[in-house]
Structures are given as structure tokens and as C-alpha cells.
């Protein structure tokens, strides 16, 4: 019989091994854990969701291209056979570095080493009415909400005789011209081109408008200009109405207020314009940055906090090459997770860290509709079909689980051939939530 651990209220077995508590089963957390499989440590993984999600394909769930279960994997399935791992479905509220405790909604746990890998959340930059009336695209629930919202509004547009109402219901505004916004805008405009007439004969194609609003002077601002130009041209050909140098000031639920005093009538607003770190409370305010990330040294240790580490989106590590911190992308999270595992083992065995983190930028990419993408690999930019093949291959290989790879692959082949989106289902009604906005 396993004796009960006196250092936790989470029903953990007692152990003499060093205990590493990991918060978050995102890209960073799962790569750290995979590296520590079979190591002489007790791993305690806490996540508020019982699944790991593949965020790069959320937009395809949102626009009814994929089912949610093809891009999420249950955590317990992912780590079957990991004898040194204990998983608890728990939301972490606070950490206390003095007593080395983590407090969750189901109890507390004491750690020897703490790894915070909680990622990021949508940043509304203090725009309360936008947060209240719109939806972000950060997790699988958001994606399902967007899918329901789009389809609900098209259903409502099909039966209204009020022209203003019809216009607002068929106008879709996406805010943020980064990869998520560009991919979503491309997918939505292809929905209009290939499916609207078939599914909604009551709605003329020219009534449905897709707007993409971006605050800076180009799309895909983190990629080279050639990629931005290609994205702009391709989306324009797909009849996406792109507004550059335009910020959103507010949203009433049916009217988007733009900085130039213009308004857009729209009953759907999707916000992909920014994220901020999702740090739990309890760490010294000095360790936080403006974007709510946590400052770490080159070994991912939180400044001024021994044995507390952060990896992935939440970690703000700066160096000469990255004075503002690394980009919040999957590769940074994966590389930091793997390296911290090695450094933690070295710390436990020898009392010192082994290797400082250096980010190897493997490139970035984004799709722009069907069979079109841009990719930056090293110094070169790929565009069009070749980039799309590259994008598809990389994403297919990166999804966790063989079944998921198979489901996504089959779905893509069907869509490549005939553009059928099988998942046009409103499973649960969506109403914009009253999201509480913290000032940033
Ligand atoms: C729509 C979208 C598209 C993207 N596309 C790309 C792309 O094409 N390429 C790319 O490289 N990157 C992309 N990214 C970024 C990439 O997904 C992130 O950089 C990456 O997921 C960060 O990994 P992470 O482990 O730090 O955090 P996450 O993967 O976000 O994981 C955080 C985990 O922590 C858990 N958690 C959070 N708070 C708590 C808490 N208080 N208690 C318990 N558990 C908690 C969450 O449930 C989650 O499982 C995209 C992101 C989005 C939103």
C-alpha cells in the first residue's frame, strides 16, 4: 500500500525522491516531462484541463474544418506508463516560494523544484467592452465558441428581414494581423467562397464580409516583408477587407469602434491581437514584466527565486539577440522544456546547472487559405503551394498521437479534393461571456 504524503493534500504517494511540480501540460510542460521519464524524481503535473492542445490548428476547428478531438490529447493517455508521474486536474491559484507550496482549487502540494509552464492568455489591453462582447482564440473552447457563433449568426441572417441586422450578422471582424488572424481570415473567406451558397442559399455571397484589422502597417509583422506582402495579396484576392494602421477602440456587440472614428457594423468580433503571460499569483512583483511574463535567467530560473523555474510563453528571458524576450511560439517552449529537464537533473546530482539556453530559430510559417502559405526558413522566404506543403508536413508531424495525425491527414485530403467541411455543427449555443478585464 502506498502511504499518504504528508507534504500535500492532493492524495500523492510519499516519496524520498526529489519532487518536481510542473504546472501546465502545454508544449513546454510535456517536453520537460518526456525528458524526465524514468529519471529518479517524482513528477507532479497539475493542469486545469485534462488535455494537451495543439494551438496552431485551433483556427481549423473554429472554421469547422477539424473536430476538436483531433487536435487535443488527454494528459493521462499521453503519459500512460510514466511510473514517476502523478497528474492532477487542478487549477493553480497561488504559489508560495517561502513555504515551497503550490495552492490549487483542490488542495496544496509542496515542491522541491517548481516549474511554471502556464503559457499565456488573450490580452485585451484593458478594452473592457471588447473583452465582454468578443471571443479570443486561445484554446479549444474559444475555437468551438467561434464555430457556433459564426454559424448561429448566419442562421439568424437567413431569417431576418431587417437590412441593418442582416449586415451586422454577415460581417465578421477579426482583429490582429498575426498568424492566427491571417489564418482565420483566409479560412473564413474560403468558407464564404465554397460553402455559403451551398449551405445558406438565403444569403448572397457578396453580403458576407470578412474584415481583418491590424494596428501596424503590415500583416505577419514578425516575418519578412516579402511574406507580409504575399499574405496581403492573397487575402485581398480572397476578398478579405484588410484595414492596416487601424486600432480598435471599443465594441458594443454590434458596432466596432475604430481609432479613426469610423465604425464597422458587425455581430461577430474575434480578437487575436495579443497575449499576455498567465502567471499564478504569489511571486514578487519585481519578477514580472509588462506583458505579465516572468523574468528568468539563462537557466530558466525565476529571478530572485531559487528552485522556481518558468518555461515557454510565460518565461521572459532576454539576451543580446532577443532584448524583448523570445517570441511566444511552440519551438521556444519545446526547446526550453527539454533543456530545463537536463539542467534540473544536473542540479539535483551536482548542485549546478549544465547548459545555458540558446534559442535555435527553426523558422515560422502561416497558411493563407487552401493550398497557400508563407514560410520563413533561415534567411529565405517560401510562398504559395510549396510553403503550404511544408506547413502541412510540419504540422502533421507535430500533432501528438498517431490517431490524431491520421484524422487530421484524412480530413485535409478530403478538403484538398473538394473543400467539404464536415463539422458545421452548433453543438452548444454561444453567447459572448462577460470576461473580466485586468488593466495591463
Ligand atoms: C491560435 C494560435 C495559433 C498558434 N500558432 C502557432 C504556430 O503556428 N507556430 C508556433 O510555433 N506557435 C503557435 N502558437 C503559439 C504556441 O501555441 C505557444 O507558443 C505555445 O503553446 C506555448 O507553449 P506553453 O507550454 O508555454 O503554453 P501552452 O501550450 O499554452 O500551455 C499552457 C498550459 O498550462 C495550463 N494552465 C494555464 N494556467 C493554469 C493554471 N493556473 N493552473 C493549471 N494549469 C494551467 C493550460 O491549461 C495549458 O495546458 C499559436 C498560438 C495560438 C493561440
Amino acid at each position: 500500500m502506498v502511504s499518504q504524503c504528508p507534504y500535500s493534500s492532493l492524495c500523492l504517494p510519499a516519496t524520498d525522491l526529489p519532487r518536481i511540480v510542473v504546472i501546465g501540460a502545454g508544449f513546454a510542460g510535456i517536453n520537460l516531462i518526456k525528458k524526465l521519464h524514468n529519471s529518479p524524481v517524482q513528477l507532479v503535473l497539475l493542469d486545469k484541463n485534462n488535455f494537451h492542445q495543439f494551438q496552431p490548428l485551433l483556427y481549423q476547428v473554429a472554421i469547422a474544418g477539424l473536430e476538436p478531438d483531433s487536435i487535443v490529447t488527454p494528459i493521462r493517455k499521453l503519459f500512460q506508463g510514466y511510473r514517476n508521474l502523478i497528474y492532477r486536474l487542478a487549477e493553480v491559484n497561488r504559489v508560495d516560494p517561502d513555504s515551497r507550496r503550490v495552492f490549487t482549487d483542490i488542495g496544496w502540494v509542496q515542491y522541491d523544484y517548481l516549474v511554471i509552464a502556464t503559457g499565456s492568455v488573450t490580452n485585451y489591453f484593458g478594452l473592457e467592452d471588447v473583452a465582454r462582447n468578443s471571443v479570443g482564440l486561445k484554446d479549444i473552447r474559444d475555437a468551438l465558441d467561434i464555430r457556433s457563433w459564426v454559424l448561429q449568426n448566419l442562421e439568424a441572417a437567413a431569417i431576418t428581414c431587417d437590412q441593418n441586422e442582416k449586415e451586422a450578422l454577415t460581417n465578421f471582424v477579426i482583429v490582429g494581423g498575426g498568424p492566427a488572424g491571417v489564418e482565420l481570415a483566409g479560412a473564413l473567406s474560403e468558407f464564404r467562397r465554397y460553402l455559403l451558397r451551398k449551405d445558406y442559399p438565403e444569403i448572397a455571397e457578396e453580403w458576407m464580409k470578412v474584415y481583418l484589422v491590424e494596428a501596424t502597417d503590415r500583416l505577419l509583422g514578425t516575418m519578412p516583408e516579402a511574406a507580409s506582402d504575399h499574405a496581403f495579396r492573397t487575402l485581398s484576392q480572397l476578398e478579405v477587407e484588410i484595414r492596416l494602421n487601424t486600432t480598435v477602440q471599443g465594441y458594443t456587440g454590434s458596432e466596432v469602434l475604430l481609432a479613426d472614428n469610423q465604425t464597422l457594423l458587425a455581430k461577430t468580433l474575434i480578437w487575436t491581437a495579443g497575449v499576455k503571460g498567465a502567471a499564478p499569483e504569489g511571486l514578487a512583483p519585481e519578477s514580472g514584466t509588462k506583458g505579465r511574463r516572468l523574468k528568468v535567467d539563462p537557466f530558466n530560473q525565476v529571478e530572485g527565486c531559487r528552485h522556481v523555474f518558468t518555461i515557454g510563453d510565460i518565461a521572459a528571458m532576454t539576451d543580446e539577440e532577443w532584448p524583448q524576450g523570445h517570441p511566444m511560439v511552440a519551438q521556444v517552449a519545446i526547446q526550453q522544456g527539454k533543456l530545463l529537464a537536463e539542467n534540473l537533473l544536473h542540479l539535483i546530482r551536482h548542485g549546478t546547472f549544465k547548459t545555458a539556453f540558446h534559442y535555435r530559430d527553426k523558422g515560422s510559417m502561416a497558411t493563407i487559405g487552401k493550398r497557400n502559405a508563407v514560410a520563413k526558413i533561415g534567411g529565405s522566404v517560401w510562398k504559395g503551394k510549396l510553403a503550404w506543403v511544408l506547413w502541412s508536413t510540419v504540422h502533421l508531424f507535430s500533432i501528438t498521437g498517431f490517431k490524431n495525425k491520421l484524422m487530421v491527414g484524412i480530413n485535409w485530403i478530403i478538403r484538398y479534393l473538394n473543400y467539404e467541411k464536415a463539422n458545421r455543427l452548433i453543438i452548444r449555443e454561444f453567447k459572448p461571456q462577460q470576461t473580466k478585464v485586468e488593466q495591463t
Side-chain angles (χ1 to χ4, degrees):
M1 200 184 102
V2 180
S3 63
Q4 205 55 39
C5 173
Y7 301 111
S8 165
S9 66
L10 300 186
C11 224
L12 304 180
T15 180
D16 292 330
L17 296 172
R19 174 181 289 159
I20 302 175
V21 173
V22 182
I23 315 173
F27 285 104
I30 66 166
N31 278 282
L32 174 107
I33 286 167
K34 283 180 181 170
K35 271 264 170 180
L36 292 173
H37 184 204
N38 289 332
S39 298
V41 293
Q42 186 190 59
L43 289 164
V44 178
L45 171 61
L46 309 171
D47 199 298
K48 61 184 178 180
N49 293 310
N50 79 333
F51 50 79
H52 163 77
Q53 54 194 333
F54 190 74
Q55 292 175 0
L57 291 182
L58 283 176
Y59 84 96
Q60 296 208 359
V61 174
I63 309 298
L66 289 174
E67 264 310 314
D69 53 351
S70 54
I71 65 159
V72 298
T73 313
I75 293 170
R76 286 184 183 275
K77 178 165 182 268
L78 196 61
F79 295 121
Q80 271 172 9
Y82 279 57
R83 294 171 68 102
N84 63 339
L85 174 81
I86 300 145
Y87 163 69
R88 292 288 178 263
L89 176 64
E91 176 154 14
V92 172
N93 307 315
R94 188 166 64 86
V95 300
D96 179 8
D98 293 333
S99 64
R100 292 196 176 184
R101 285 186 181 197
V102 173
F103 295 89
T104 80
D105 56 351
I106 58 162
W108 57 272
V109 55
Q110 200 154 25
Y111 61 82
D112 295 306
Y113 303 91
L114 173 64
V115 180
I116 303 173
T118 42
S120 53
V121 290
T122 301
N123 190 354
Y124 291 96
F125 302 101
L127 295 169
E128 295 211 17
D129 53 351
V130 175
R132 239 191 335 269
N133 296 314
S134 72
V135 64
L137 181 58
K138 198 64 192 84
D139 64 24
I140 200 74
R141 292 181 194 87
D142 291 339
L144 287 171
D145 285 343
I146 292 172
R147 177 200 291 192
S148 296
W149 206 15
V150 169
L151 297 174
Q152 278 168 224
N153 283 349
L154 289 175
E155 292 296 341
I159 56 168
T160 184
C161 299
D162 178 329
Q163 274 312 312
N164 267 351
E165 179 77 355
K166 200 184 277 287
E167 191 183 337
L169 286 163
T170 51
N171 281 352
F172 296 87
V173 177
I174 297 162
V175 186
V182 164
E183 291 179 335
L184 203 55
L188 199 52
S189 61
E190 289 196 326
F191 180 100
R192 170 185 56 198
R193 180 168 287 187
Y194 297 107
L195 284 178
L196 189 71
R197 210 174 323 136
K198 285 200 244 170
D199 272 17
Y200 296 91
E202 306 90 338
I203 303 173
E205 209 177 298
E206 60 272 20
W207 293 350
M208 181 173 163
K209 295 212 165 60
V210 180
Y211 293 91
L212 180 59
V213 181
E214 163 58 37
T216 69
D217 60 359
R218 65 186 177 103
L219 301 176
L220 302 176
T222 56
M223 294 182 85
E225 286 204 17
S228 303
D229 293 345
H230 183 73
F232 188 93
R233 268 196 313 278
T234 310
L235 287 181
S236 302
Q237 280 158 13
L238 288 169
E239 292 174 69
V240 174
E241 304 210 9
I242 304 166
R243 303 280 176 95
L244 297 178
N245 298 308
T246 307
T247 53
V248 168
Q249 303 282 292
Y251 180 47
T252 63
S254 52
E255 210 170 50
V256 189
L257 314 172
L258 305 176
D260 52 9
N261 277 336
Q262 293 199 11
T263 55
L264 291 173
L265 212 53
K267 288 234 163 172
T268 315
L269 185 124
I270 303 166
W271 184 265
T272 68
V275 289
K276 61 184 177 186
E281 289 182 8
L283 294 170
E286 309 85 78
S287 46
T289 66
K290 220 172 132 214
R292 292 281 181 97
R293 298 170 95 183
L294 294 167
K295 289 182 208 158
V296 292
D297 66 16
F299 304 98
N300 285 91
Q301 187 161 239
V302 175
E303 278 183 19
C305 243
R306 276 191 76 225
H307 295 183
V308 179
F309 303 84
T310 74
I311 47 179
D313 280 4
I314 185 77
M317 185 192 293
T318 54
D319 56 29
E320 267 181 26
E321 201 181 336
W322 302 98
Q324 307 296 329
H326 297 110
M328 288 156 111
V329 294
Q331 266 308 318
V332 173
I334 292 167
Q335 291 174 29
Q336 288 187 342
K338 287 179 179 172
L339 184 69
L340 181 60
E342 286 174 19
N343 274 329
L344 279 175
L345 286 180
H346 204 269
L347 181 66
I348 291 165
R349 285 176 190 145
H350 308 288
T352 55
F353 296 115
K354 191 176 163 205
T355 319
F357 181 74
H358 179 73
Y359 175 46
R360 287 185 315 278
D361 186 357
K362 293 186 175 172
S364 51
M365 44 187 89
T367 42
I368 323 162
K370 193 180 168 186
R371 301 176 209 171
N372 209 326
V374 283
K376 188 204 102 185
I377 313 287
S380 58
V381 176
W382 298 27
K383 295 176 276 186
K385 215 170 191 172
L386 206 58
W388 178 78
V389 172
L390 189 69
W391 179 94
S392 308
T393 312
V394 167
H395 282 75
L396 209 52
F397 274 101
S398 308
I399 300 168
T400 49
F402 176 72
K403 191 186 114 236
N404 286 359
K405 288 186 207 303
L406 199 68
M407 278 162 67
V408 171
I410 291 171
N411 233 298
W412 282 354
I413 291 169
I414 293 170
R415 271 177 42 216
Y416 183 83
L417 295 175
N418 72 356
Y419 203 83
E420 255 310 314
K421 284 177 188 266
N423 310 307
R424 305 192 288 272
L425 312 171
I426 305 170
I427 303 288
R428 54 170 193 178
E429 192 192 356
F430 172 71
K431 285 199 185 92
Q433 288 163 11
Q434 306 289 302
T435 313
K436 186 172 152 262
V437 184
E438 298 152 22
Q439 297 297 327
T440 49

